[in-house]
Amino acid sequence: MTEDLLPALTGPVEVVGAGLIGTSIALVCRRLGLDVVLRDTSEENIRTASGLGAGRPASSGDRPQLVVVAVPPAAIADATVDALRRTGAVVTDVGSVKAAPLAEVAARVGAAELARYVGSHPMAGSERSGPLAASAALFDGRPWAVTPHAGARPDAVGLVESLVLECGAAPLRMEPGEHDRAVARTSHLPHLAAVLVAGRLATAPVEHLALSGQGVRDVTRVAASDPVLWQQILEANSGAVLDLLGEVRADLDALMTAVAADAGPDLVEILERGNAGTAAIPGKHGGPARPTRSVFVSVPDHPGELARLFGDAGEIGVNIEDVHIDHDPGRPVGLTELVVEQGSAEHLLAALESRGWTTHR
């Protein structure tokens, strides 16, 4: 089904679960002028999301066109079954695991109800949670998996894809099991790696932690996410996650052997696989990764200095692909890493230096 032939999203849209993802979707739908009704077991979440302009509390007379289930993984099947039985709407859930909820829903509803259910998963989020972290821009440019089962109605699949496009995301159709294997590799395993590295810091001596740099912050950032939520995600996708952990365990054994034996070539081969994996990550707009280079600039810890740096880069005519800030609270300056296309780096360095910035080559 082409984009021009997709069913129109006219509403009402019911959002079940007014947390980060649900409230963000609700904000998009309200921006489109759609009627949005909110359900949540937390009255506080409903009040907060409503106060943000994300919609209104649901009432018994609502007849939604689309229901978006945005609840924790352990509650997805129950909420989806309830929505299918309670309404005649198309129902999608936005959980990060697809095969297990589908199997549970399929065991509890008839074929006609199941035909209105289409799983989906936006690859967007944050280590923050709750409606106050929500944003209508959360999904801009992000991939959003749409995972129809064999019995899903084509118009139901199309309506979910219409929602994805209205949210500014890029729909990507996948079979539910293949989706779960993909997110185990690109999301669940990286999260666990961050957790294990961060765990080594919890009881570290203070003098060790004083040497923390941006590298350890980058590696461990996602480890600050909700442990209970991640417990549910990992249990729901345990098969795919365990397969990958087994591969990582074998790689770790090989790494330990190479380090212990001073086996230089073997160690280099392992490190080069890391380079290859990093290069395989898609680049901007989903295209091939392009060579980049980091330009490091010292930025005084004063109001407006970052804005001045970005303004200068814009006037110089160099697009910043990514940015990282290493700011030790004990230092009067922060080190800002500007990631730019490789061919622009020297021009940016010279132009920034001519404007009085201190750069590091």
Side-chain angles (χ1 to χ4, degrees), residues 171-192:
L172 178 64
R173 285 199 195 184
M174 301 185 76
E175 185 273 328
E178 188 62 27
H179 165 274
D180 291 354
R181 289 186 288 274
V183 294
R185 188 180 304 276
T186 61
S187 175
H188 303 169
L189 181 64
H191 183 86
L192 290 176

Side-chain angles (χ1 to χ4, degrees), residues 16-17 39 68-77 79 94-95 229 232:
V16 182
R39 292 181 183 271
V68 179
V69 174
V71 298
I76 286 175
V94 291
L229 172 63
Q232 295 179 25

Side-chain angles (χ1 to χ4, degrees), residues 132-290:
L132 288 175
S135 167
L138 184 66
F139 312 105
D140 288 354
R142 302 298 301 164
W144 188 321
V146 179
T147 60
H149 55 87
R153 286 181 357 204
D155 64 310
V157 179
L159 186 62
V160 173
E161 291 184 335
S162 292
L163 171 70
V164 173
L165 291 168
E166 294 288 9
C167 286
L172 178 64
R173 285 199 195 184
M174 301 185 76
E175 185 273 328
E178 188 62 27
H179 165 274
D180 291 354
R181 289 186 288 274
V183 294
R185 188 180 304 276
T186 61
S187 175
H188 303 169
L189 181 64
H191 183 86
L192 290 176
V195 166
L196 292 177
V197 173
R200 295 299 85 212
L201 304 175
T203 58
V206 173
E207 58 270 24
H208 291 189
L209 296 174
L211 296 178
S212 298
Q214 192 59 38
V216 73
R217 293 185 176 93
D218 289 344
V219 169
T220 60
R221 179 182 58 82
V222 296
S225 300
D226 182 356
V228 174
L229 172 63
W230 272 95
Q231 173 216 344
Q232 295 179 25
I233 292 172
L234 295 169
E235 288 177 348
N237 202 24
S238 59
V241 171
L242 284 171
D243 286 345
L244 285 169
L245 287 175
E247 296 175 8
V248 171
R249 179 167 59 186
D251 287 343
L252 183 58
D253 287 341
L255 176 60
M256 292 175 67
T257 298
V259 172
D262 291 331
D266 292 342
L267 184 54
V268 168
E269 181 183 350
I270 293 169
L271 296 172
E272 286 177 342
R273 286 206 300 272
N275 293 160
T278 301
I281 299 172
K284 193 163 63 171
H285 310 308
R290 292 179 294 182

Side-chain angles (χ1 to χ4, degrees), residues 17 61 65 82 88 95 110 117 125 144 219 223 287 304 333:
Q65 177 197 25
D82 173 72
Y117 169 55
W144 188 321
V219 169
V333 298

Side-chain angles (χ1 to χ4, degrees), residues 24-359:
S24 295
I25 292 172
L27 287 170
V28 172
C29 292
R30 288 297 302 136
R31 186 176 62 188
L32 296 170
L34 303 180
D35 183 22
V36 178
V37 299
L38 305 170
R39 292 181 183 271
D40 199 297
T41 56
S42 166
E43 291 297 328
E44 180 61 28
N45 279 1
I46 293 288
R47 283 194 297 271
T48 301
S50 299
L52 293 171
R56 59 177 175 81
S59 66
S60 59
D62 292 323
R63 297 292 182 268
Q65 177 197 25
L66 175 67
V67 177
V68 179
V69 174
V71 298
I76 286 175
D78 286 344
T80 299
V81 169
D82 173 72
L84 289 169
R85 291 174 175 170
R86 179 172 46 78
T87 75
V90 171
V91 179
T92 187
D93 79 279
V94 291
S96 59
V97 179
K98 308 315 316 174
L102 171 61
E104 188 171 346
V105 171
R108 296 169 57 184
V109 302
E113 291 174 324
L114 187 64
R116 293 187 279 113
Y117 169 55
V118 180
S120 71
H121 178 210
M123 295 305 295
S126 167
E127 63 273 16
R128 299 172 61 209
S129 61
L132 288 175
S135 167
L138 184 66
F139 312 105
D140 288 354
R142 302 298 301 164
W144 188 321
V146 179
T147 60
H149 55 87
R153 286 181 357 204
D155 64 310
V157 179
L159 186 62
V160 173
E161 291 184 335
S162 292
L163 171 70
V164 173
L165 291 168
E166 294 288 9
C167 286
L172 178 64
R173 285 199 195 184
M174 301 185 76
E175 185 273 328
E178 188 62 27
H179 165 274
D180 291 354
R181 289 186 288 274
V183 294
R185 188 180 304 276
T186 61
S187 175
H188 303 169
L189 181 64
H191 183 86
L192 290 176
V195 166
L196 292 177
V197 173
R200 295 299 85 212
L201 304 175
T203 58
V206 173
E207 58 270 24
H208 291 189
L209 296 174
L211 296 178
S212 298
Q214 192 59 38
V216 73
R217 293 185 176 93
D218 289 344
V219 169
T220 60
R221 179 182 58 82
V222 296
S225 300
D226 182 356
V228 174
L229 172 63
W230 272 95
Q231 173 216 344
Q232 295 179 25
I233 292 172
L234 295 169
E235 288 177 348
N237 202 24
S238 59
V241 171
L242 284 171
D243 286 345
L244 285 169
L245 287 175
E247 296 175 8
V248 171
R249 179 167 59 186
D251 287 343
L252 183 58
D253 287 341
L255 176 60
M256 292 175 67
T257 298
V259 172
D262 291 331
D266 292 342
L267 184 54
V268 168
E269 181 183 350
I270 293 169
L271 296 172
E272 286 177 342
R273 286 206 300 272
N275 293 160
T278 301
I281 299 172
K284 193 163 63 171
H285 310 308
R290 292 179 294 182
T292 60
R293 179 176 160 189
S294 293
V295 171
F296 296 91
V297 186
S298 292
V299 178
D301 186 14
H302 302 141
E305 290 298 307
L306 270 176
R308 184 167 69 89
L309 173 61
F310 294 148
D312 282 352
E315 291 177 7
I316 292 164
V318 173
N319 188 53
I320 298 172
E321 304 292 337
D322 202 355
V323 61
H324 307 279
I325 301 174
D326 181 3
H327 183 203
D328 184 336
R331 294 185 299 174
V333 298
L335 187 64
T336 301
E337 178 186 359
L338 305 178
V339 181
V340 300
E341 287 191 9
Q342 193 171 61
S344 303
E346 284 298 329
H347 171 58
L348 179 61
L349 279 165
L352 288 175
E353 289 165 358
S354 71
R355 293 173 178 234
W357 291 99
T358 299
T359 65

